[in-house]
Amino acid sequence: MGRKVGIVATGQTKHGPKRLDVNLRELITEAVTRALEDAGLRMEDVDAVFLGNMEPFEGFMFPELWSVEGWGGYLKPSVKFNTGGTVGTTTTMAAYYYVAAGLYDTVLAVGFEKQSDGHTQAAITTVGDPVWERTMMAGAVGNFAVMASTYIHESGVTPEQAAKVAVKARRNACNNEYAHLQMPNLTVEEVLASQILAHPIRKLDMCPQSDGAVAMVIAEESKARKLAPRPAWIRAVATAHEQQYMGDSPKRLAIMRSQIAASQKVYKAVGITNPRKELDVAEIYEVATYAEMAMYENLGFCERGHGGKLIDEGVTSMNGELPVNPSGGVLSTNPIGATAMIRVAEAALQVMGKAGTRQVPNVRTALATGYGGNAWTDALILASN
Amino acid sequence: MRTDVAIVGAVQTRYEAKKAHQTYNELVYEVVSELLKQTGVPMQEIESMVTASQDFWDGKTISSMSVSEVVGGYLKSEAKVASDGIQALIYGAARILAGAFEYTLVVAHCKESEGQGQTITAVMFDPYCQRPLGVIAPTVAALQARAYMNAAGIGSETLAQVSQKNHRDAMKNPLALRAGDYKIEQILSADAYADPLTELMAAPTSDGACALLLASPEKARTFGSRAVWISGMGNSTDAYWTDRDLAQADALSQAAKRAYQMAGVGAKDIDIAEISARYAQEELLYGEALGLWARKDVAKVAASENGGKVNPSGGAITGNPATVAGLTRVAEAYLQLSDAAGAHQVPGASVALAQGADGICGQTQAVVILRRGEA
């Protein structure tokens, strides 16, 4: 394998529904500046920039090129990715591969989205095949309603269990100064009484639409050791895709083959056989409450059919055996082009011991995931050694 | 440093104005299945894929969704670059250099005919001040052509000479969309594209796809002379188009500098250059930024058919779609160095350069240098 690579610094914007105080360029600057300050670097110390964004949501082709001064890219190498929900992890992995390959020593990875500039759900409608799928499941909510229905059928999870996931996320988010939705007093009853969007998904079962950006400084081993007392080493990365059409893979939204394949690859790479015991924290891309429970099963946190039990027993709560999404997760913050990279940044903060009031004690190994497109998955293992 | 990654195969579709008989996943299937056949590498051995496509041209958010399966991505690692395919190639090479994969399949596709270019290119522009003016890709290409003509002291005849040479060369390239032995007067009096450019000085609307297979040294050695080595790579991004001199290509100069340094060669060592020029002025401007000639000589260079070493394929001006054009340049450079270019083969070349660009007036640039020989 190539060189050892670590995350040494992170920066996030305050994420919110409409960041009308900044334009896209300024939004990116906010995250990049914080990441550079965190690393004690200046832009000239950065060799290359890796960018992730879902431009159809802004209705803007190459928004990163218009924003080039916002991320300090003038006359620097840069490359831009666009892979849907996973784009933040796709971009992180690209940065990892280039540094591991020895092409660059210190790079910046940036994910951003200003959904208030465009119309996300209109753009998401076009992800479906124009002939077979586009007329059936418009937008993310429809897709996850099908997912949740299948998953309920398979596992018998209840709306109450889903509501507990919603409460966990929004309460955890109160410890995250950057989170979009912070709801300290949210109750299961309120979730169950929230507006139905597409059965069985209620408004509070679903992630919000956010404006926000995230940046990370990623460096090869010797630079990383100089820049951070405790870098979050990228120990393993994997991507797994599903088949194109929903009907080609039976129950694909409940039995998430890509989650199984990607997570098993990274577990195997670092020798994890019991993720529930061997991972100290997970930041996963849970687009809806039901998805989080399905992911528990597919990521191997519990046996199949026990996703609901895990939330009932508090295993994934802040004080549980394996805290999942101390940041509040996607359910609390979702600037899509940044969302998966926020998972990585939050996992890195946990490993670096810099997560503040949302810090899980003694984190040595963390999992971060991305999820999107045709139900595809990215998985990364970060570790302190 | 040595990069130790080789290209072991390259396949393109024929470029056509409107491939109404194929969806873009079918275009990708065509090039990928042919590439597997030519290289003899079964899909089971390929674990890594990098694709390039553009959501706005595909009319589909996450355009890679319809090709991730066709490129063999099921349960494997595919990633999509939202820029020219040459960036996908560089990323693919990085994945192999990192020691993570033995092969990486690199594919770019675009069907420009399915969209409305004027609407699509309009959304590249600043939404606050520029979009309301109705500015689109042809407008800025024309502004750049004028700026370059003024800066280099050339007239539209010089641009026409570039176009004439490329369309004549394209007559030997069976995949080219537009080819012909045009007279200078014909080019100058063709329908206006955006003054000073005529339709024959700008790439036509085009559909097509291109796929390459990259391999680690261990795998590449089994391909003999069909393995062509990537010896240098560089990329760079310029300021937004209204914040720079359009008669300069500083990002390309930077990208070229990095690629030359990595390859340990200079512009004088380049036997063949495939330059991604969708407009006639770009070939002269980019050749200059690559160090192939000086600005004071461009009129002479154009009159002498660029010394015979630029764009033997006919180049992008004869019709390669957005997002694909730069990867096509790499494919053509590969064909030359593996002696597989057929009628447009240039004999005896050993070092080739391929360049790709994307964004308004080539805001983001990439250069790849290839060489024949052993790892």
Side-chain angles (χ1 to χ4, degrees), chain A residues 1-3 23-25 47 54-62 64-69 71 73-85 90 93-98 100-104 117 122-124 126-130 133-134 238-245 248-249 252 257-258 261 265 372-374 376 378, chain B residues 1 3 24-25 47 50 54-70 73-84 87-88 90-95 97-101 120-128 130-131 233-240 243 250-252 254 258 262 358-360 363-364:
Chain A
M1 275 302 291
R3 304 191 297 176
N23 66 23
L24 187 62
R25 195 183 286 174
D47 301 330
M54 286 308 302
E55 53 213 309
F57 301 153
E58 278 91 3
F60 195 167
M61 182 156 52
F62 307 123
E64 78 286 2
L65 294 179
W66 177 79
S67 309
V68 59
E69 282 138 350
W71 44 273
Y74 176 61
L75 294 187
K76 273 194 194 303
S78 72
V79 57
K80 144 80 175 304
F81 296 88
N82 155 328
T83 62
T90 302
M93 289 185 193
Y96 162 79
Y97 283 126
Y98 277 83
L103 292 169
Y104 305 116
D117 276 1
I124 285 192
T126 70
V127 303
D129 178 278
E133 291 179 337
R134 208 167 281 186
T239 296
H241 283 268
E242 253 292 358
Q243 297 183 81
Q244 181 181 350
Y245 295 103
D248 288 346
S249 292
R252 86 170 189 200
R257 290 166 188 80
S258 72
K265 265 185 208 170
N374 307 322
W376 59 49
D378 284 341
Chain B
M1 66 174 281
T3 69
Y24 47 74
N25 359 1
E47 295 283 330
V50 185
Q54 174 49 252
D55 291 7
F56 289 91
W57 282 110
D58 280 14
K60 180 183 170 82
T61 297
I62 329 179
S63 49
S64 51
M65 281 175 67
S66 38
V67 301
S68 63
E69 188 177 7
V70 183
Y74 179 58
L75 299 183
K76 293 179 181 175
S77 183
E78 181 267 347
K80 171 198 154 193
V81 166
S83 185
D84 189 280
Q87 293 270 19
I90 295 175
Y91 179 30
R95 283 175 159 215
L97 286 173
F101 300 100
I120 290 167
T121 64
V123 299
M124 292 193 293
F125 290 89
D126 169 89
Y128 303 105
Q130 294 175 3
R131 273 188 222 178
M233 304 185 287
N235 64 67
S236 184
T237 300
D238 217 323
Y240 194 62
D243 297 332
D250 293 342
L252 180 54
Q254 284 282 334
R258 293 189 179 104
M262 190 186 286
D358 217 332
I360 301 167
Q363 190 182 345
T364 186

Side-chain angles (χ1 to χ4, degrees), chain B residues 35-371:
Chain B
L35 182 64
L36 297 181
K37 203 171 113 192
Q38 282 189 13
T39 56
V41 177
M43 191 60 100
Q44 295 88 306
E45 285 191 29
I46 304 172
E47 295 283 330
S48 166
M49 303 86 188
V50 185
T51 63
S53 54
Q54 174 49 252
D55 291 7
F56 289 91
W57 282 110
D58 280 14
K60 180 183 170 82
T61 297
I62 329 179
S63 49
S64 51
M65 281 175 67
S66 38
V67 301
S68 63
E69 188 177 7
V70 183
V71 300
Y74 179 58
L75 299 183
K76 293 179 181 175
S77 183
E78 181 267 347
K80 171 198 154 193
V81 166
S83 185
D84 189 280
I86 194 169
Q87 293 270 19
L89 179 110
I90 295 175
Y91 179 30
R95 283 175 159 215
I96 291 175
L97 286 173
F101 300 100
E102 296 290 341
Y103 290 111
T104 294
L105 179 60
V106 178
V107 188
H109 76 264
C110 186
K111 285 189 77 180
E112 291 183 341
S113 70
E114 283 194 2
Q116 293 179 324
Q118 301 205 342
T119 309
I120 290 167
T121 64
V123 299
M124 292 193 293
F125 290 89
D126 169 89
Y128 303 105
C129 304
Q130 294 175 3
R131 273 188 222 178
L133 301 173
V135 61
I136 53 175
T139 330
V140 292
L143 288 172
Q144 187 185 40
R146 186 66 73 189
Y148 187 72
M149 284 159 67
N150 288 339
I154 55 171
S156 44
E157 296 75 14
T158 304
L159 300 187
Q161 283 170 335
V162 171
S163 176
Q164 182 185 46
K165 183 261 309 178
N166 282 313
H167 287 92
R168 195 188 289 144
D169 285 347
M171 293 169 77
K172 293 181 186 166
N173 178 358
L175 304 179
L177 190 168
R178 190 173 65 190
D181 194 6
Y182 298 107
K183 293 185 169 46
I184 293 294
E185 296 69 37
Q186 263 179 298
I187 295 167
L188 290 172
S189 62
D191 285 349
Y193 180 79
D195 187 69
L197 298 173
T198 69
E199 291 282 356
L200 288 172
M201 297 177 192
T205 297
S206 167
D207 292 353
C210 177
L212 288 88
L213 187 63
L214 308 183
S216 68
E218 293 70 35
K219 296 289 182 189
R221 282 189 194 104
T222 64
F223 288 84
S225 62
R226 284 190 298 153
V228 168
W229 297 87
I230 298 175
S231 57
M233 304 185 287
N235 64 67
S236 184
T237 300
D238 217 323
Y240 194 62
W241 75 287
T242 33
D243 297 332
R244 68 182 143 106
D245 180 356
L246 295 182
Q248 289 289 130
D250 293 342
L252 180 54
S253 303
Q254 284 282 334
K257 193 174 149 193
R258 293 189 179 104
Y260 287 140
Q261 265 172 8
M262 190 186 286
V265 300
K268 61 177 179 357
D269 302 310
I270 302 299
D271 300 316
I272 289 171
E274 278 282 344
I275 299 180
S276 198
R278 289 166 57 79
Y279 306 101
Q281 83 281 356
E282 286 182 332
E283 184 163 312
L284 299 174
L285 171 63
Y286 292 170
E288 208 184 285
L290 291 166
L292 300 176
W293 48 74
R295 176 162 294 185
K296 63 178 173 49
D297 298 327
V298 290
K300 218 161 54 192
V301 165
S304 67
E305 308 207 327
N306 301 354
K309 65 177 187 180
V310 173
N311 290 348
S313 65
I317 197 170
T318 66
N320 300 141
T323 311
V324 180
L327 191 62
T328 297
R329 306 278 71 72
V330 185
E332 284 293 335
Y334 167 80
L335 292 176
Q336 291 290 345
L337 296 190
S338 58
D339 295 321
H344 62 289
Q345 179 72 46
V346 176
S350 61
V351 180
L353 178 151
Q355 171 261 341
D358 217 332
I360 301 167
C361 294
Q363 190 182 345
T364 186
Q365 294 279 353
V367 174
V368 169
I369 295 170
L370 306 181
R371 65 172 168 81

Side-chain angles (χ1 to χ4, degrees), chain A residues 25-345:
Chain A
R25 195 183 286 174
E26 293 160 342
L27 183 76
I28 297 169
T29 305
E30 198 174 305
V32 167
T33 305
R34 284 176 181 161
L36 290 174
E37 279 172 359
D38 190 30
L41 291 178
R42 294 186 304 175
M43 201 59 218
E44 49 264 46
D45 303 317
V46 173
D47 301 330
V49 187
F50 296 84
L51 299 138
N53 158 261
M54 286 308 302
E55 53 213 309
F57 301 153
E58 278 91 3
F60 195 167
M61 182 156 52
F62 307 123
E64 78 286 2
L65 294 179
W66 177 79
S67 309
V68 59
E69 282 138 350
W71 44 273
Y74 176 61
L75 294 187
K76 273 194 194 303
S78 72
V79 57
K80 144 80 175 304
F81 296 88
N82 155 328
T83 62
T86 48
V87 64
T89 37
T90 302
T91 307
T92 307
M93 289 185 193
Y96 162 79
Y97 283 126
Y98 277 83
V99 175
L103 292 169
Y104 305 116
D105 292 338
T106 308
V107 304
L108 199 55
V110 183
F112 63 92
E113 201 80 70
K114 200 159 191 298
Q115 298 196 62
S116 66
D117 276 1
H119 196 302
T120 298
Q121 293 311 315
I124 285 192
T125 301
T126 70
V127 303
D129 178 278
V131 178
W132 301 107
E133 291 179 337
R134 208 167 281 186
T135 51
M136 294 195 308
M137 287 174 290
V141 178
N143 185 68
F144 280 93
V146 174
M147 179 268 143
S149 301
T150 320
Y151 179 58
I152 289 169
H153 178 78
E154 288 299 306
S155 70
V157 290
T158 62
E160 288 74 17
Q161 288 169 325
K164 286 181 189 174
V165 175
V167 170
K168 170 177 79 73
R170 277 55 176 261
R171 287 194 182 171
N172 281 357
C174 298
N175 293 322
N176 178 358
E177 60 192 300
Y178 304 112
H180 169 173
L181 289 180
Q182 297 170 311
M183 305 167 97
N185 303 314
L186 184 65
T187 62
V188 166
E189 292 68 34
E190 281 176 83
V191 178
L192 293 174
S194 68
Q195 184 193 352
I196 193 109
L197 300 178
H199 183 81
I201 300 282
R202 292 178 183 276
K203 192 169 180 184
L204 289 170
D205 283 313
M206 203 64 207
C207 56
Q209 290 189 174
S210 318
D211 288 356
V214 57
M216 301 192 296
V217 177
I218 297 175
E220 58 79 32
E221 185 172 5
S222 66
K223 285 250 163 57
R225 288 190 195 281
K226 280 184 202 129
L227 291 169
R230 188 182 157 95
W233 301 108
I234 301 175
R235 291 284 309 280
V237 304
T239 296
H241 283 268
E242 253 292 358
Q243 297 183 81
Q244 181 181 350
Y245 295 103
M246 192 170 278
D248 288 346
S249 292
K251 301 171 190 166
R252 86 170 189 200
L253 294 171
I255 301 165
M256 299 166 158
R257 290 166 188 80
S258 72
Q259 293 263 306
I260 298 168
S263 62
Q264 289 301 322
K265 265 185 208 170
V266 294
Y267 295 156
K268 193 177 165 202
V270 300
I272 287 177
T273 53
N274 184 343
R276 178 167 160 179
K277 289 208 163 16
E278 293 169 75
L279 292 173
D280 300 310
V281 67
E283 277 284 342
I284 68 171
Y285 199 107
E286 75 333 347
V287 182
T289 52
Y290 292 93
E292 175 159 330
M293 293 184 286
M295 287 169 177
Y296 292 164
E297 300 179 19
N298 293 297
L299 294 170
F301 298 170
C302 61
E303 289 170 43
R304 187 154 297 286
H306 288 204
K309 195 165 159 236
L310 223 58
I311 194 80
D312 280 341
E313 292 173 353
V315 172
T316 57
S317 68
M318 271 310 277
N319 301 317
E321 185 184 355
L322 173 55
V324 173
N325 293 359
S327 65
V330 186
L331 286 169
S332 303
T333 304
N334 188 29
I336 299 177
T339 304
M341 197 183 292
I342 294 172
R343 306 279 70 70
V344 184

